[in-house]
């Protein structure tokens, strides 16, 4: 028989046990009641055992509860029926605590997933790794910057940049480092910042990686533009009066030379020499002024006027414009375009200017080659970005030349101002694009416009 009150059941069990003990004491060790004595003794022992089991049910519940917490198993439920109000209240409270644990764990898992999504979609490369180099996390931005699919240890980054792999292992908390990386013709300057974190008693390093190449290029170009503005201003201020005065003095001397006066005739030869000198000064001053005006183009690029046009048509137009020049030099210009339209939103005249400059450079690069062929190619890259390549089979360039090729005034040609590629880069930057160079000595050069 079961009762709905824990205390009543406890009292009844004690009463039955007490009665059994009383009977045992009354019977004693009388040989006539030996069987009864043994039966009562066994019954008493059974009552003690059942009493202990009944009393320890609460301890077992607590033990199940603690084991659930220990092993993170919050699916346990506590059911108590027919045990009375106190036991029912205990089971209810234990179930409430288990539900609270489940809610807290679900909330933590949701927050963890939330932050993982943020870290994976943030534009800054994030790498977390242990002291032995084991990578704990490598987000999508870091994979994109380093152009790797997966890595388990920092040492594996050596194939991208040995300097980067070594730096990540040796950098201390709060240190920053600038690492140069060149991948598929593109120069990148990576800013690496490392901090140390304590995670469950273990030291973990967190490295943030940013490509600041574009910012460096903009600052570099801004510095060059400021320098050019100062130089051209000073040069023009100095040369313009000299050109004007030399021209005026030359005209004055020529007018004197044409005078039939006898005293002028005696100095005619000397005046002619002076006149020629002044004319030379004037011509060179005018040439220097034109030279300075050309460099001013680096600081006076207008805002692009965006229109939608077919890239294939632009490439055909470029070939038509340069047809006679290529024919005169016994060279060929090959066009490689997709069968369908490749539409680009850009300033057509600016992009045409860039293409003409690159194609002419490629033509000059093949002057000493027997196979004077330049290729113009338009396509969509693996990220669906419109790209235009200008390739030649010339002598190519060294790594040092490729690093300086876009610096104003730098040129690898015997005759050239060194502003064409700088202008091209500025125009591409105004279009939110890039111009890349990939070259190898003896095999040729490829310039890529990527929008």
């Amino acid at each position: 028989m079961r009762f709905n009150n824990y205390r009543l059941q406890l009292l009844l069990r004690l009463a039955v046990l007490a009665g059994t003990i009383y009977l045992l004491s009354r019977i004693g060790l009388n040989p006539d009641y030996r069987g009864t004595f043994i039966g009562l003794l066994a019954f008493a022992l059974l009552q003690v055992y059942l009493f202990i089991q009944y009393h320890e049910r609460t301890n077992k519940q607590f033990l199940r509860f603690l084991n659930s917490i220990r092993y993170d198993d919050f699916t346990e439920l506590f059911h108590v029926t027919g045990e009375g109000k106190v036991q029912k209240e205990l089971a209810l409270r234990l179930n409430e605590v288990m539900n609270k644990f489940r809610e807290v764990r679900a909330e933590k898992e949701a927050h963890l997933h939330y932050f993982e999504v943020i870290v994976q979609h943030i534009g800054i490369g994030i790498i977390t790794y242990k002291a032995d180099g084991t990578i704990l996390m490598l987000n999508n931005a870091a994979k994109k910057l380093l152009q790797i699919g997966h890595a388990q240890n920092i040492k594996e980054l050596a194939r991208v940049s040995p300097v980067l792999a070594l730096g990540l292992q040796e950098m201390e908390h709060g240190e920053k480092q600038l690492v140069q990386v060149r991948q598929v013709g593109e120069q990148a300057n990576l800013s690496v910042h490392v901090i140390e974190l304590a995670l469950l008693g273990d030291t973990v390093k967190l490295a943030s990686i940013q490509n600041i190449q574009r910012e460096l290029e903009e600052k570099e170009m801004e510095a060059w533009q400021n320098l050019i503005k100062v130089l051209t201003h000073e040069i023009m201020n100095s040369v313009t009066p000299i050109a004007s005065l030399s021209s005026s003095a030359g005209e004055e001397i020529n007018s004197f030379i044409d005078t039939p006066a006898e005293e002028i005739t005696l100095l005619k030869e000397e005046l002619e020499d002076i006149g020629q000198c002044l004319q030379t000064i004037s011509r060179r001053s005018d040439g220097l002024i034109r030279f300075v005006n050309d460099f001013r183009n680096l600081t006076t690029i207008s805002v692009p006027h965006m229109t939608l046009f077919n890239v294939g048509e632009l490439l055909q137009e470029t070939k038509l414009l340069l047809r006679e020049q290529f024919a005169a030099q016994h060279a060929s210009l090959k066009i490689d375009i997709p069968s369908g339209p490749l539409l680009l939103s850009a300033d057509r005249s600016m992009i045409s200017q860039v293409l003409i400059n690159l194609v002419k450079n490629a033509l000059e690069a093949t002057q000493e080659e027997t196979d004077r062929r330049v290729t113009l190619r338009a396509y969509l890259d693996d990220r669906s970005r419109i790209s235009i390549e200008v390739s030649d089979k010339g002598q190519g360039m060294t790594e040092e030349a490729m690093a300086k090729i876009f610096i104003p005034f730098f040129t690898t040609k015997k005759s050239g101002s060194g502003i064409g590629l700088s202008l091209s880069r500025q125009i591409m930057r105004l279009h939110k694009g890039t111009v890349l160079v990939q070259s190898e000595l003896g095999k040729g050069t490829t310039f890529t416009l990527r929008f």
Side-chain angles (χ1 to χ4, degrees), residues 4 130 193 233 237 266 272 328 360 396:
N4 292 331
K130 296 182 179 179
H193 184 202
H233 178 74
N237 285 346
L266 296 174
E272 286 179 350
K360 285 184 174 181

Side-chain angles (χ1 to χ4, degrees), residues 6-7 9-15 17 43-57:
Y6 173 78
R7 294 173 184 171
Q9 288 194 43
L10 189 63
L11 290 174
L12 287 175
R13 289 175 184 275
L14 289 173
L17 181 61
F43 183 68
L45 293 175
L46 178 62
Q47 288 296 316
V48 171
Y49 172 76
L50 292 176
F51 180 80
I52 294 173
Q53 287 288 101
Y54 181 76
H55 183 68
E56 287 184 347
R57 286 184 182 181

Side-chain angles (χ1 to χ4, degrees), residues 47-193:
Q47 288 296 316
V48 171
Y49 172 76
L50 292 176
F51 180 80
I52 294 173
Q53 287 288 101
Y54 181 76
H55 183 68
E56 287 184 347
R57 286 184 182 181
T58 301
N59 294 337
K60 290 181 179 180
Q61 283 186 333
F62 277 113
L63 185 61
R64 286 166 54 198
F65 174 75
L66 294 175
N67 283 333
S68 297
I69 297 175
R70 177 183 178 185
Y71 297 109
D72 290 332
D73 179 15
F74 304 122
T75 60
E76 186 74 49
L77 291 177
F78 300 93
H79 301 282
V80 177
T81 57
E83 297 285 342
K85 183 178 179 181
V86 174
Q87 293 297 95
K88 186 177 179 179
E89 182 72 15
L90 175 63
L92 180 63
R93 294 293 174 257
L94 290 177
N95 286 330
E96 287 180 354
V97 173
M98 295 298 286
N99 287 331
K100 189 64 177 178
F101 272 120
R102 282 194 292 269
E103 291 176 2
V104 170
R105 184 171 68 175
E107 184 179 354
K108 286 184 176 180
E109 289 178 351
H111 283 146
L112 178 62
H113 178 69
Y114 172 72
F115 287 117
E116 283 180 349
V117 171
I118 291 178
V119 169
Q120 290 298 333
H121 285 79
I122 198 170
I124 300 175
I126 300 293
I127 304 177
T128 57
Y129 54 99
K130 296 182 179 179
D132 61 357
T134 302
I135 294 177
L136 301 176
M137 185 192 65
L138 186 71
N139 73 342
N140 293 328
K143 293 178 181 178
K144 179 181 175 182
L145 282 173
L146 304 177
Q147 297 184 4
I148 58 175
H150 181 71
Q152 295 181 343
N153 196 284
I154 292 297
K155 295 178 181 178
E156 297 178 31
L157 302 182
R159 64 177 182 266
V160 178
S161 171
V163 177
L164 176 62
L166 184 62
L168 289 176
Q169 289 179 307
E170 296 182 349
M171 291 173 67
E172 300 296 334
H173 176 75
E175 282 193 44
K176 292 184 179 181
Q177 186 175 356
L178 187 64
V179 180
Q180 291 187 343
V181 179
R182 189 173 188 85
Q183 297 173 331
V184 196
E186 186 173 1
Q187 180 75 28
N189 280 278
L190 305 181
S191 175
V192 183
H193 184 202

